[in-house]
Amino acid sequence: MNPMRSRLRVIGALSITTALALAGCSSSDSNSSPASNSSAPAPGSSSSDASSAPAGDAAAPISGGTLSVGRGNLFEGFNLDQETVNASFQLSEAVLEPLIRVNAEGTDLAPGIASKWTFNADNTVLTIDLTPKVTFSNGDPVTPEDVAFSIKTWQAGPSYGPIYGGIEKTVIVDADTIELDLSGPDSTLPNYLAWSNAGIVPKDFGGRTAEEFWQAPIGAGPFLVESWASSGDVVLTKNPKYYKAGQPYLDKVVSSYSADSNSLSLQLKAAQIDVADELSPVIALGLDQSLILPVAEHNTAVLLMNTKDPALSDPIVRQAIGYALDYPSILKSVYSGYGSAPTGALPSNLLHWAPPSSPYFSRDVEKAKALLATAANPPTTLEFLFTANGDAVLLGQILADNLKDIGITVTLTPVDSGQRSANLDDGKYQLASFAYNAISPDVTDPISYVTSTDGMRTGFSSDVVDAQFKAYQLAKTPAEQEKAIGIVQDVYFKEAPFIALAHLRSLGAAQPTVKGLQLTLWGTYALENVWKTN
């Protein structure tokens, strides 16, 4: 199975761009600055036990209580194929648990409903052993037949279906084992079985229609649905039949929507909420920094360049722009220091991530000028399309100042978010900002996003990238996989359809009374691990 060019969806990339778009003014309760890096285990180094409490909460968990969560994104419902943002992933997987889990930090896969998964010699058959005695919240056992029906459900979805299209056949081996026969070798498939969109549902939706089921789903996750509203509260209650002994610890989770990011900050400061999800950098900077949740850098902000536009069709011009940018100023002014300068085009801290063979872009005005001088038709003017919020305005100003140094005048054009999205989809722009991230631990996740979205809306495609993606799927060793990724990084560096501006931390905050909450690299967390001290 190869999801390249067929992955027709917008992933967690939306989560960070939405958070950045919510930036506003905030009073500061602390003069402390964010650390440029946060300690986190190296990819692949963490425990395989998905239920383990995150490090730093050594005390025995306390059961009971309600967790109050403030979120800045609408909840899209429980229909797995319609979920695109972290707010939906977070809540959906707490009810409709995926077949495979990720560990607390999001750096590796971990057992869950599937206790073990193994490939045959040529990676064309994936055998999955189910954890014994896992049940849905109504007490019915989770069977291989439920898994087979779930796979058909995923495949039928117009958004995510192509991801699972390479599963040609499912074979029920016994009461606890199922085989997935693939159309071709694909060592990356387990990562997509860990997506929130790969939730396990009962066969035939438990005797209901799909529409009825999505309104009131029954899953094998740690929580049940009490009530939900897209722009209101989502209320989850403890699943007493959850297969992990003693979990979840919480009796209830109430996730409340707030369209105003400043409101999330005020609610957290007043202790009206326990957790604030997906904060913008400027809002996070206004909080007591001890409340900001630690997580490694991963989300990657980028400058998109429309390679189909005559002014930007020459990769030499795009490289020149890459060397003209002041990355430290962008990190400090636009992202409030929550991250580090880019070391490659791909989001960092993923399994088998490798850098390009040459150092990535850094500010070098003379080199930018020299490159531009060799271009056949160097542009003298360019347009930056953005939504009129604080962060984007700052980025536009820095961009205009930087490119002025190499003889390019940048026109700043503010539009509403809907128009900006439409222009990006239609290729009616020259420069625009964006951000993207994975939602599984493997580095191929963001690559498949780029390739399936017309080069992340830049119009760029590469046979070399496609070939290296396939080489990665066929690779037998981590060294072979990292070699393929290094070549992909080199393509994105040389061709420069987009320029990484910074590797950023996912930003969330929690009261000191909240324990066991560990953000994944992309900003979600396992609710069954969370508990409160009071």
Side-chain angles (χ1 to χ4, degrees):
M1 182 184 66
N2 189 339
M4 307 268 287
R5 308 223 180 279
S6 62
R7 186 167 147 192
L8 306 176
R9 64 118 163 130
V10 181
I11 63 166
L14 282 177
S15 63
I16 186 170
T17 50
T18 302
L20 295 177
L22 291 173
C25 298
S26 172
S27 60
S28 176
D29 289 345
S30 171
N31 292 324
S32 59
S33 298
S36 61
N37 288 283
S38 179
S39 60
S45 66
S46 57
S47 168
S48 63
D49 183 1
S51 66
S52 299
D57 293 329
I62 298 171
S63 295
T66 297
L67 186 75
S68 177
V69 179
R71 69 179 196 277
N73 279 317
L74 297 173
F75 176 59
E76 297 160 305
F78 291 96
N79 187 329
L80 299 171
D81 195 61
Q82 295 179 3
E83 297 164 1
T84 65
V85 297
N86 275 354
S88 300
F89 299 151
Q90 176 79 54
L91 295 164
S92 178
E93 69 178 21
V95 177
L96 300 170
E97 185 167 307
L99 186 60
I100 297 174
R101 300 298 300 273
V102 298
N103 65 5
E105 298 84 4
T107 55
D108 208 347
L109 299 178
I113 294 175
S115 62
K116 185 173 66 172
W117 49 96
T118 54
F119 279 103
N120 65 347
D122 64 358
N123 292 339
T124 58
V125 177
L126 180 64
T127 300
I128 297 173
D129 295 334
L130 302 183
T131 299
K133 299 181 179 179
V134 176
T135 69
F136 292 106
S137 58
N138 64 359
D140 292 342
V142 175
T143 67
E145 287 79 6
D146 296 314
V147 175
F149 177 79
S150 298
I151 292 172
K152 288 183 179 179
T153 301
W154 312 334
Q155 290 176 325
S159 298
Y160 296 88
I163 293 294
Y164 306 100
I167 304 174
E168 288 193 331
K169 184 174 65 173
T170 57
V171 178
I172 309 300
V173 177
D174 57 39
D176 295 312
T177 312
I178 184 171
E179 286 183 354
L180 310 185
D181 292 353
L182 311 183
S183 59
D186 184 10
S187 62
T188 67
L189 177 59
N191 294 283
Y192 300 106
L193 299 180
W195 278 5
S196 302
N197 309 86
I200 298 300
V201 301
K203 183 180 179 181
D204 298 326
F205 296 114
R208 291 185 285 168
T209 66
E211 184 177 359
E212 290 170 339
F213 181 83
W214 298 131
Q215 285 299 311
I218 292 174
F223 289 91
L224 313 171
V225 180
E226 179 176 299
S227 62
W228 67 274
S230 179
S231 59
D233 290 351
V234 179
V235 182
L236 307 180
T237 57
K238 182 175 185 175
N239 175 9
K241 296 182 173 64
Y242 190 50
Y243 65 94
K244 294 181 182 178
Q247 293 183 277
Y249 305 116
L250 298 164
D251 289 333
K252 182 179 285 191
V253 175
V254 179
S255 174
S256 303
Y257 171 68
S258 177
D260 180 6
S261 59
N262 285 303
S263 175
L264 290 180
S265 173
L266 294 173
Q267 291 178 66
L268 195 71
K269 291 176 181 178
Q272 296 172 345
I273 57 175
D274 298 309
V275 180
D277 288 343
E278 297 183 283
L279 296 170
S280 67
V282 69
I283 294 298
L285 193 62
L287 295 172
D288 179 343
Q289 294 302 292
S290 68
L291 302 181
I292 302 299
L293 296 164
V295 65
E297 296 157 0
H298 167 68
N299 298 323
T300 298
V302 296
L303 176 68
L304 304 180
M305 292 183 275
N306 185 354
T307 64
K308 301 300 183 183
D309 188 286
L312 292 165
S313 61
D314 187 344
I316 292 177
V317 171
R318 304 194 295 265
Q319 289 177 28
I321 291 172
Y323 283 111
L325 300 181
D326 187 345
Y327 298 93
S329 293
I330 291 172
L331 179 63
K332 180 179 179 180
S333 300
V334 181
Y335 305 116
S336 301
Y338 288 106
S340 63
T343 52
L346 298 176
S348 55
N349 283 309
L350 293 170
L351 283 172
H352 311 308
W353 190 95
S357 58
S358 300
Y360 196 65
F361 294 109
S362 60
R363 183 164 168 81
D364 187 336
V365 174
E366 294 308 312
K367 186 170 186 175
K369 288 180 178 178
L371 280 169
L372 208 58
T374 67
N377 295 293
T380 57
T381 62
L382 290 171
E383 180 185 50
F384 177 66
L385 196 69
F386 68 102
T387 52
N389 64 72
D391 288 340
V393 171
L394 282 172
L395 179 59
Q397 291 171 344
I398 294 173
L399 183 64
D401 289 343
N402 290 169
L403 296 195
K404 183 179 179 182
D405 291 340
I406 62 171
I408 299 175
T409 300
V410 176
T411 300
L412 306 181
T413 304
V415 293
D416 63 51
S417 58
Q419 185 61 55
R420 177 183 174 278
S421 181
N423 280 28
L424 292 182
D425 287 340
D426 296 338
K428 296 179 179 179
Y429 78 99
Q430 290 184 315
L431 303 173
S433 60
F434 197 63
Y436 74 128
N437 54 269
I439 55 172
S440 65
D442 196 89
V443 71
T444 56
D445 183 313
I447 296 173
S448 63
Y449 172 68
V450 172
T451 59
S452 66
T453 55
D454 198 24
M456 200 153 56
R457 299 167 172 174
T458 63
F460 176 77
S461 63
S462 167
D463 292 339
V464 175
V465 170
D466 291 354
Q468 293 307 311
F469 191 101
K470 189 64 177 178
Y472 185 101
Q473 291 177 309
L474 297 172
K476 299 296 185 181
T477 67
E480 291 175 334
Q481 292 173 313
E482 290 173 12
K483 179 181 178 182
I485 297 307
I487 294 172
V488 171
Q489 292 268 38
D490 284 344
V491 171
Y492 289 144
F493 177 48
K494 179 181 179 181
E495 298 296 330
F498 54 90
I499 304 293
L501 302 175
H503 298 310
L504 304 171
R505 291 167 53 188
S506 294
L507 293 174
Q511 303 290 358
T513 53
V514 176
K515 305 296 181 181
L517 196 163
Q518 172 64 58
L519 292 180
T520 59
L521 292 170
W522 47 94
T524 61
Y525 47 92
L527 280 166
E528 71 268 22
N529 292 338
V530 181
W531 54 283
K532 296 174 66 176
T533 58
N534 57 343

